[in-house]
Short mmCIF file of all heavy atoms in Angstrom, two decimals:
data_model
loop_
_atom_site.label_atom_id
_atom_site.label_comp_id
_atom_site.label_asym_id
_atom_site.label_seq_id
_atom_site.Cartn_x
_atom_site.Cartn_y
_atom_site.Cartn_z
N SER F 154 16.38 0.48 -6.09
CA SER F 154 15.91 -0.14 -7.32
C SER F 154 17.08 -0.70 -8.15
O SER F 154 18.08 -0.02 -8.36
CB SER F 154 15.09 0.90 -8.14
OG SER F 154 14.89 0.37 -9.41
N ALA F 155 16.80 -1.90 -8.77
CA ALA F 155 17.79 -2.48 -9.65
C ALA F 155 17.65 -1.84 -11.10
O ALA F 155 18.43 -2.17 -11.95
CB ALA F 155 17.66 -3.95 -9.73
N GLY F 156 16.63 -1.16 -11.30
CA GLY F 156 16.34 -0.43 -12.61
C GLY F 156 15.90 -1.44 -13.61
O GLY F 156 16.01 -1.14 -14.82
N ARG F 157 15.23 -2.54 -13.23
CA ARG F 157 14.66 -3.48 -14.21
C ARG F 157 13.48 -2.89 -15.00
O ARG F 157 12.62 -2.30 -14.35
CB ARG F 157 14.19 -4.78 -13.49
CG ARG F 157 15.26 -5.56 -12.84
CD ARG F 157 16.00 -6.43 -13.82
NE ARG F 157 17.05 -7.19 -13.12
CZ ARG F 157 18.32 -6.69 -12.91
NH1 ARG F 157 18.65 -5.53 -13.33
NH2 ARG F 157 19.18 -7.46 -12.24
N GLU F 158 13.52 -3.11 -16.24
CA GLU F 158 12.38 -2.63 -17.06
C GLU F 158 11.26 -3.64 -16.89
O GLU F 158 11.51 -4.79 -16.78
CB GLU F 158 12.75 -2.62 -18.58
CG GLU F 158 13.80 -1.55 -18.91
CD GLU F 158 13.35 -0.12 -18.67
OE1 GLU F 158 12.10 0.09 -18.69
OE2 GLU F 158 14.22 0.70 -18.43
N PRO F 159 10.02 -3.12 -16.82
CA PRO F 159 8.88 -4.08 -16.64
C PRO F 159 8.81 -5.07 -17.84
O PRO F 159 9.19 -4.76 -18.94
CB PRO F 159 7.65 -3.14 -16.72
CG PRO F 159 8.18 -1.81 -16.28
CD PRO F 159 9.63 -1.73 -16.75
N VAL F 160 8.48 -6.36 -17.56
CA VAL F 160 8.43 -7.38 -18.64
C VAL F 160 7.03 -7.57 -19.17
O VAL F 160 6.89 -8.34 -20.12
CB VAL F 160 9.02 -8.70 -18.03
CG1 VAL F 160 10.47 -8.52 -17.68
CG2 VAL F 160 8.20 -9.24 -16.88
N GLY F 161 6.08 -6.96 -18.58
CA GLY F 161 4.66 -7.06 -19.12
C GLY F 161 3.95 -8.30 -18.63
O GLY F 161 2.92 -8.56 -19.24
N GLU F 162 4.39 -8.93 -17.61
CA GLU F 162 3.67 -10.11 -17.09
C GLU F 162 3.13 -9.70 -15.73
O GLU F 162 3.86 -9.36 -14.80
CB GLU F 162 4.65 -11.27 -16.96
CG GLU F 162 3.98 -12.55 -16.58
CD GLU F 162 5.02 -13.66 -16.39
OE1 GLU F 162 6.17 -13.46 -16.77
OE2 GLU F 162 4.63 -14.66 -15.79
N TRP F 163 1.80 -9.76 -15.63
CA TRP F 163 1.12 -9.26 -14.41
C TRP F 163 0.95 -10.41 -13.40
O TRP F 163 0.41 -11.47 -13.78
CB TRP F 163 -0.20 -8.64 -14.71
CG TRP F 163 -0.13 -7.45 -15.56
CD1 TRP F 163 -0.46 -7.27 -16.86
CD2 TRP F 163 0.38 -6.12 -15.19
NE1 TRP F 163 -0.20 -6.03 -17.38
CE2 TRP F 163 0.24 -5.31 -16.30
CE3 TRP F 163 0.83 -5.59 -13.98
CZ2 TRP F 163 0.65 -3.97 -16.28
CZ3 TRP F 163 1.19 -4.24 -13.95
CH2 TRP F 163 1.12 -3.48 -15.11
N LEU F 164 1.31 -10.11 -12.16
CA LEU F 164 1.14 -11.07 -11.06
C LEU F 164 0.41 -10.47 -9.87
O LEU F 164 0.60 -9.30 -9.53
CB LEU F 164 2.48 -11.55 -10.54
CG LEU F 164 3.45 -12.17 -11.53
CD1 LEU F 164 4.84 -12.41 -10.87
CD2 LEU F 164 2.92 -13.47 -12.11
N PRO F 165 -0.43 -11.33 -9.18
CA PRO F 165 -0.94 -10.81 -7.89
C PRO F 165 0.17 -10.74 -6.87
O PRO F 165 1.21 -11.43 -7.03
CB PRO F 165 -1.96 -11.91 -7.47
CG PRO F 165 -1.50 -13.08 -8.20
CD PRO F 165 -0.81 -12.65 -9.49
N LEU F 166 0.02 -9.96 -5.83
CA LEU F 166 1.04 -9.78 -4.85
C LEU F 166 1.53 -11.13 -4.29
O LEU F 166 2.74 -11.38 -4.04
CB LEU F 166 0.60 -8.89 -3.71
CG LEU F 166 1.75 -8.54 -2.73
CD1 LEU F 166 2.29 -7.22 -2.97
CD2 LEU F 166 1.29 -8.63 -1.30
N ARG F 167 0.56 -12.05 -4.10
CA ARG F 167 0.88 -13.37 -3.51
C ARG F 167 1.98 -14.09 -4.34
O ARG F 167 2.75 -14.83 -3.75
CB ARG F 167 -0.39 -14.22 -3.53
CG ARG F 167 -0.23 -15.59 -2.93
CD ARG F 167 -1.47 -16.31 -2.72
NE ARG F 167 -2.46 -16.05 -3.79
CZ ARG F 167 -3.70 -16.54 -3.71
NH1 ARG F 167 -4.07 -17.31 -2.75
NH2 ARG F 167 -4.57 -16.31 -4.69
N ASP F 168 2.05 -13.86 -5.68
CA ASP F 168 3.00 -14.60 -6.50
C ASP F 168 4.35 -13.90 -6.59
O ASP F 168 5.22 -14.40 -7.29
CB ASP F 168 2.36 -14.79 -7.92
CG ASP F 168 1.20 -15.80 -7.86
OD1 ASP F 168 1.02 -16.40 -6.86
OD2 ASP F 168 0.54 -15.89 -8.92
N LEU F 169 4.50 -12.78 -5.94
CA LEU F 169 5.83 -12.16 -5.87
C LEU F 169 6.71 -13.06 -5.02
O LEU F 169 6.30 -13.36 -3.89
CB LEU F 169 5.81 -10.69 -5.40
CG LEU F 169 5.07 -9.74 -6.33
CD1 LEU F 169 5.07 -8.30 -5.69
CD2 LEU F 169 5.57 -9.69 -7.77
N LYS F 170 7.89 -13.36 -5.46
CA LYS F 170 8.66 -14.43 -4.87
C LYS F 170 9.23 -14.12 -3.41
O LYS F 170 9.26 -14.94 -2.54
CB LYS F 170 9.88 -14.81 -5.77
CG LYS F 170 9.62 -15.78 -6.81
CD LYS F 170 10.87 -16.19 -7.50
CE LYS F 170 10.58 -16.96 -8.74
NZ LYS F 170 11.66 -16.92 -9.68
N HIS F 171 9.64 -12.86 -3.18
CA HIS F 171 10.32 -12.55 -1.99
C HIS F 171 9.32 -11.85 -1.05
O HIS F 171 9.46 -10.67 -0.85
CB HIS F 171 11.59 -11.68 -2.26
CG HIS F 171 12.45 -12.38 -3.21
ND1 HIS F 171 13.22 -13.48 -2.92
CD2 HIS F 171 12.74 -12.14 -4.54
CE1 HIS F 171 13.90 -13.92 -3.97
NE2 HIS F 171 13.62 -13.10 -4.96
N GLY F 172 8.48 -12.60 -0.45
CA GLY F 172 7.59 -11.96 0.54
C GLY F 172 6.13 -11.93 0.21
O GLY F 172 5.31 -11.62 1.05
N GLY F 173 5.77 -12.26 -1.10
CA GLY F 173 4.37 -12.17 -1.49
C GLY F 173 3.52 -13.08 -0.57
O GLY F 173 2.40 -12.63 -0.19
N GLU F 174 3.94 -14.19 -0.25
CA GLU F 174 3.23 -15.14 0.59
C GLU F 174 3.01 -14.58 1.95
O GLU F 174 2.03 -14.74 2.56
CB GLU F 174 4.06 -16.44 0.74
CG GLU F 174 3.73 -17.49 -0.29
CD GLU F 174 2.33 -18.06 -0.14
OE1 GLU F 174 1.82 -18.23 0.97
OE2 GLU F 174 1.64 -18.24 -1.16
N ASP F 175 3.98 -13.80 2.49
CA ASP F 175 3.85 -13.22 3.83
C ASP F 175 2.92 -12.04 3.92
O ASP F 175 2.33 -11.75 4.92
CB ASP F 175 5.24 -12.81 4.36
CG ASP F 175 6.19 -13.97 4.51
OD1 ASP F 175 5.72 -15.06 4.72
OD2 ASP F 175 7.37 -13.69 4.34
N TRP F 176 2.79 -11.36 2.75
CA TRP F 176 2.18 -10.05 2.80
C TRP F 176 0.76 -10.03 2.20
O TRP F 176 0.02 -9.13 2.33
CB TRP F 176 3.04 -8.95 2.04
CG TRP F 176 4.14 -8.49 2.85
CD1 TRP F 176 5.36 -9.03 2.98
CD2 TRP F 176 4.16 -7.34 3.68
NE1 TRP F 176 6.15 -8.30 3.82
CE2 TRP F 176 5.43 -7.25 4.27
CE3 TRP F 176 3.29 -6.35 3.97
CZ2 TRP F 176 5.85 -6.24 5.16
CZ3 TRP F 176 3.65 -5.30 4.88
CH2 TRP F 176 4.92 -5.27 5.45
N TRP F 177 0.39 -11.09 1.38
CA TRP F 177 -0.80 -10.92 0.59
C TRP F 177 -2.12 -10.79 1.42
O TRP F 177 -3.00 -10.07 1.03
CB TRP F 177 -0.90 -12.02 -0.46
CG TRP F 177 -1.27 -13.35 0.01
CD1 TRP F 177 -0.41 -14.29 0.50
CD2 TRP F 177 -2.58 -13.98 0.11
NE1 TRP F 177 -1.09 -15.50 0.84
CE2 TRP F 177 -2.40 -15.31 0.63
CE3 TRP F 177 -3.86 -13.51 -0.18
CZ2 TRP F 177 -3.53 -16.13 0.82
CZ3 TRP F 177 -4.95 -14.38 0.04
CH2 TRP F 177 -4.74 -15.66 0.52
N ARG F 178 -2.16 -11.48 2.57
CA ARG F 178 -3.45 -11.33 3.32
C ARG F 178 -3.61 -9.95 3.87
O ARG F 178 -4.66 -9.31 3.75
CB ARG F 178 -3.42 -12.35 4.46
CG ARG F 178 -3.66 -13.78 3.98
CD ARG F 178 -3.84 -14.76 5.13
NE ARG F 178 -3.96 -16.11 4.61
CZ ARG F 178 -2.85 -16.83 4.27
NH1 ARG F 178 -1.64 -16.32 4.36
NH2 ARG F 178 -3.08 -18.07 3.75
N LEU F 179 -2.52 -9.39 4.44
CA LEU F 179 -2.57 -8.05 5.02
C LEU F 179 -2.88 -7.05 3.79
O LEU F 179 -3.68 -6.15 3.99
CB LEU F 179 -1.28 -7.69 5.65
CG LEU F 179 -1.24 -6.45 6.50
CD1 LEU F 179 -2.16 -6.52 7.66
CD2 LEU F 179 0.17 -6.13 7.01
N PHE F 180 -2.26 -7.32 2.76
CA PHE F 180 -2.41 -6.48 1.60
C PHE F 180 -3.90 -6.49 1.09
O PHE F 180 -4.47 -5.47 0.75
CB PHE F 180 -1.49 -6.98 0.47
CG PHE F 180 -1.51 -6.27 -0.79
CD1 PHE F 180 -0.95 -5.01 -0.97
CD2 PHE F 180 -2.26 -6.74 -1.89
CE1 PHE F 180 -0.99 -4.31 -2.16
CE2 PHE F 180 -2.32 -6.10 -3.07
CZ PHE F 180 -1.72 -4.84 -3.19
N GLY F 181 -4.45 -7.74 1.11
CA GLY F 181 -5.83 -7.90 0.73
C GLY F 181 -6.77 -7.05 1.66
O GLY F 181 -7.70 -6.36 1.21
N GLN F 182 -6.48 -7.13 2.91
CA GLN F 182 -7.36 -6.49 3.87
C GLN F 182 -7.20 -4.92 3.85
O GLN F 182 -8.18 -4.22 4.00
CB GLN F 182 -7.02 -6.90 5.34
CG GLN F 182 -7.46 -8.29 5.66
CD GLN F 182 -9.04 -8.42 5.71
OE1 GLN F 182 -9.71 -7.42 5.96
NE2 GLN F 182 -9.55 -9.57 5.34
N ARG F 183 -5.94 -4.46 3.73
CA ARG F 183 -5.73 -3.05 3.90
C ARG F 183 -5.70 -2.25 2.51
O ARG F 183 -5.76 -1.06 2.57
CB ARG F 183 -4.42 -2.76 4.62
CG ARG F 183 -4.24 -3.58 5.86
CD ARG F 183 -5.03 -2.89 7.02
NE ARG F 183 -5.43 -3.93 7.99
CZ ARG F 183 -4.61 -4.41 8.90
NH1 ARG F 183 -3.39 -4.03 8.96
NH2 ARG F 183 -5.05 -5.34 9.77
N CYS F 184 -5.52 -3.01 1.47
CA CYS F 184 -5.45 -2.30 0.17
C CYS F 184 -6.61 -2.72 -0.76
O CYS F 184 -7.43 -1.87 -1.16
CB CYS F 184 -4.13 -2.55 -0.55
SG CYS F 184 -2.71 -1.99 0.37
N GLU F 185 -6.68 -4.01 -1.12
CA GLU F 185 -7.68 -4.39 -2.10
C GLU F 185 -9.09 -4.28 -1.65
O GLU F 185 -9.92 -3.79 -2.36
CB GLU F 185 -7.35 -5.85 -2.56
CG GLU F 185 -6.07 -5.85 -3.40
CD GLU F 185 -5.62 -7.28 -3.75
OE1 GLU F 185 -5.73 -8.18 -2.89
OE2 GLU F 185 -5.19 -7.51 -4.92
N LYS F 186 -9.28 -4.70 -0.37
CA LYS F 186 -10.70 -4.67 0.12
C LYS F 186 -11.24 -3.22 0.23
O LYS F 186 -12.31 -2.96 -0.27
CB LYS F 186 -10.71 -5.39 1.54
CG LYS F 186 -12.06 -5.98 1.86
CD LYS F 186 -11.89 -6.85 3.07
CE LYS F 186 -13.24 -7.01 3.73
NZ LYS F 186 -13.06 -7.86 4.94
N PRO F 187 -10.48 -2.28 0.86
CA PRO F 187 -11.05 -0.94 0.93
C PRO F 187 -11.18 -0.28 -0.48
O PRO F 187 -12.07 0.49 -0.71
CB PRO F 187 -10.04 -0.16 1.80
CG PRO F 187 -8.93 -1.05 2.04
CD PRO F 187 -9.30 -2.43 1.65
N LEU F 188 -10.23 -0.66 -1.43
CA LEU F 188 -10.34 -0.05 -2.74
C LEU F 188 -11.58 -0.62 -3.47
O LEU F 188 -12.28 0.06 -4.19
CB LEU F 188 -9.05 -0.33 -3.54
CG LEU F 188 -8.92 0.34 -4.89
CD1 LEU F 188 -9.18 1.93 -4.75
CD2 LEU F 188 -7.53 0.17 -5.47
N LYS F 189 -11.85 -1.86 -3.29
CA LYS F 189 -13.06 -2.42 -3.92
C LYS F 189 -14.30 -1.77 -3.41
O LYS F 189 -15.18 -1.38 -4.15
CB LYS F 189 -13.14 -3.95 -3.58
CG LYS F 189 -14.38 -4.61 -4.12
CD LYS F 189 -14.64 -6.03 -3.56
CE LYS F 189 -15.71 -5.96 -2.44
NZ LYS F 189 -17.05 -5.72 -2.78
N LYS F 190 -14.33 -1.58 -2.04
CA LYS F 190 -15.48 -0.87 -1.44
C LYS F 190 -15.63 0.52 -2.07
O LYS F 190 -16.75 1.00 -2.36
CB LYS F 190 -15.29 -0.78 0.02
CG LYS F 190 -16.51 -0.50 0.82
CD LYS F 190 -16.25 -0.86 2.29
CE LYS F 190 -17.34 -0.24 3.11
NZ LYS F 190 -16.95 0.90 3.95
N LEU F 191 -14.53 1.22 -2.22
CA LEU F 191 -14.61 2.56 -2.89
C LEU F 191 -15.16 2.52 -4.27
O LEU F 191 -16.05 3.27 -4.62
CB LEU F 191 -13.18 3.12 -2.91
CG LEU F 191 -12.61 3.98 -1.78
CD1 LEU F 191 -11.26 4.49 -2.19
CD2 LEU F 191 -13.56 5.14 -1.51
N VAL F 192 -14.66 1.58 -5.07
CA VAL F 192 -15.17 1.51 -6.46
C VAL F 192 -16.61 1.00 -6.50
O VAL F 192 -17.38 1.48 -7.37
CB VAL F 192 -14.24 0.58 -7.33
CG1 VAL F 192 -14.71 0.60 -8.78
CG2 VAL F 192 -12.80 1.06 -7.28
N ASP F 193 -17.01 0.13 -5.56
CA ASP F 193 -18.42 -0.26 -5.49
C ASP F 193 -19.27 0.93 -5.30
O ASP F 193 -20.37 1.05 -5.95
CB ASP F 193 -18.62 -1.21 -4.26
CG ASP F 193 -18.11 -2.63 -4.48
OD1 ASP F 193 -17.93 -3.06 -5.58
OD2 ASP F 193 -18.04 -3.34 -3.48
N GLU F 194 -18.86 1.78 -4.46
CA GLU F 194 -19.67 2.96 -4.08
C GLU F 194 -19.60 4.08 -5.12
O GLU F 194 -20.47 4.95 -5.22
CB GLU F 194 -19.30 3.49 -2.72
CG GLU F 194 -19.69 2.54 -1.64
CD GLU F 194 -19.05 2.91 -0.29
OE1 GLU F 194 -18.35 3.93 -0.21
OE2 GLU F 194 -19.30 2.11 0.69
N TYR F 195 -18.47 4.09 -5.77
CA TYR F 195 -18.22 5.18 -6.76
C TYR F 195 -17.43 4.70 -8.01
O TYR F 195 -16.28 4.72 -8.05
CB TYR F 195 -17.45 6.26 -6.07
CG TYR F 195 -17.19 7.54 -6.86
CD1 TYR F 195 -18.27 8.14 -7.66
CD2 TYR F 195 -15.97 8.06 -6.93
CE1 TYR F 195 -18.00 9.19 -8.39
CE2 TYR F 195 -15.72 9.27 -7.64
CZ TYR F 195 -16.73 9.78 -8.39
OH TYR F 195 -16.47 10.89 -9.19
N THR F 196 -18.22 4.12 -8.96
CA THR F 196 -17.53 3.47 -10.13
C THR F 196 -16.76 4.50 -10.95
O THR F 196 -15.79 4.13 -11.63
CB THR F 196 -18.50 2.70 -11.02
OG1 THR F 196 -19.74 3.31 -10.89
CG2 THR F 196 -18.58 1.25 -10.75
N GLY F 197 -17.19 5.75 -10.86
CA GLY F 197 -16.50 6.81 -11.58
C GLY F 197 -15.02 6.97 -11.15
O GLY F 197 -14.27 7.67 -11.75
N LEU F 198 -14.68 6.37 -10.03
CA LEU F 198 -13.37 6.51 -9.44
C LEU F 198 -12.26 6.03 -10.44
O LEU F 198 -11.22 6.62 -10.57
CB LEU F 198 -13.22 5.72 -8.14
CG LEU F 198 -11.87 5.86 -7.46
CD1 LEU F 198 -11.57 7.29 -7.00
CD2 LEU F 198 -11.81 4.95 -6.24
N MET F 199 -12.56 4.96 -11.14
CA MET F 199 -11.55 4.43 -12.07
C MET F 199 -11.26 5.44 -13.18
O MET F 199 -10.12 5.66 -13.58
CB MET F 199 -12.05 3.12 -12.70
CG MET F 199 -12.20 1.99 -11.68
SD MET F 199 -10.61 1.40 -11.09
CE MET F 199 -10.40 -0.05 -12.10
N GLU F 200 -12.30 6.18 -13.67
CA GLU F 200 -12.07 7.21 -14.68
C GLU F 200 -11.26 8.31 -14.11
O GLU F 200 -10.39 8.92 -14.76
CB GLU F 200 -13.40 7.67 -15.21
CG GLU F 200 -13.87 6.82 -16.32
CD GLU F 200 -15.34 7.12 -16.65
OE1 GLU F 200 -15.73 8.26 -16.57
OE2 GLU F 200 -16.06 6.16 -17.05
N LEU F 201 -11.59 8.68 -12.79
CA LEU F 201 -10.81 9.77 -12.16
C LEU F 201 -9.36 9.42 -12.06
O LEU F 201 -8.49 10.26 -12.19
CB LEU F 201 -11.44 10.02 -10.81
CG LEU F 201 -12.64 10.97 -10.73
CD1 LEU F 201 -13.12 11.06 -9.36
CD2 LEU F 201 -12.31 12.33 -11.27
N ILE F 202 -9.11 8.11 -11.72
CA ILE F 202 -7.72 7.64 -11.56
C ILE F 202 -7.00 7.87 -12.90
O ILE F 202 -5.84 8.32 -12.92
CB ILE F 202 -7.68 6.15 -11.09
CG1 ILE F 202 -8.18 6.09 -9.64
CG2 ILE F 202 -6.31 5.61 -11.22
CD1 ILE F 202 -8.30 4.68 -9.15
N ILE F 203 -7.65 7.56 -13.98
CA ILE F 203 -7.10 7.80 -15.28
C ILE F 203 -6.73 9.27 -15.52
O ILE F 203 -5.66 9.64 -15.94
CB ILE F 203 -7.98 7.26 -16.44
CG1 ILE F 203 -8.10 5.71 -16.34
CG2 ILE F 203 -7.55 7.63 -17.81
CD1 ILE F 203 -9.11 5.13 -17.23
#
Side-chain angles (χ1 to χ4, degrees):
S154 169
R157 293 280 179 273
E158 293 298 334
V160 296
E162 188 183 346
W163 295 107
L164 301 175
L166 187 99
R167 180 173 35 184
D168 290 351
L169 295 182
K170 276 189 190 155
H171 304 289
E174 270 293 321
D175 297 332
W176 282 86
W177 72 272
R178 285 185 187 81
L179 191 63
F180 180 77
Q182 286 294 330
R183 309 282 153 77
C184 297
E185 291 175 318
K186 207 168 160 185
L188 188 52
K189 177 194 99 69
K190 198 164 164 252
L191 269 184
V192 182
D193 282 345
E194 290 168 3
Y195 183 46
T196 26
L198 182 64
M199 295 289 261
E200 276 168 32
L201 278 176
I202 290 173
I203 292 172

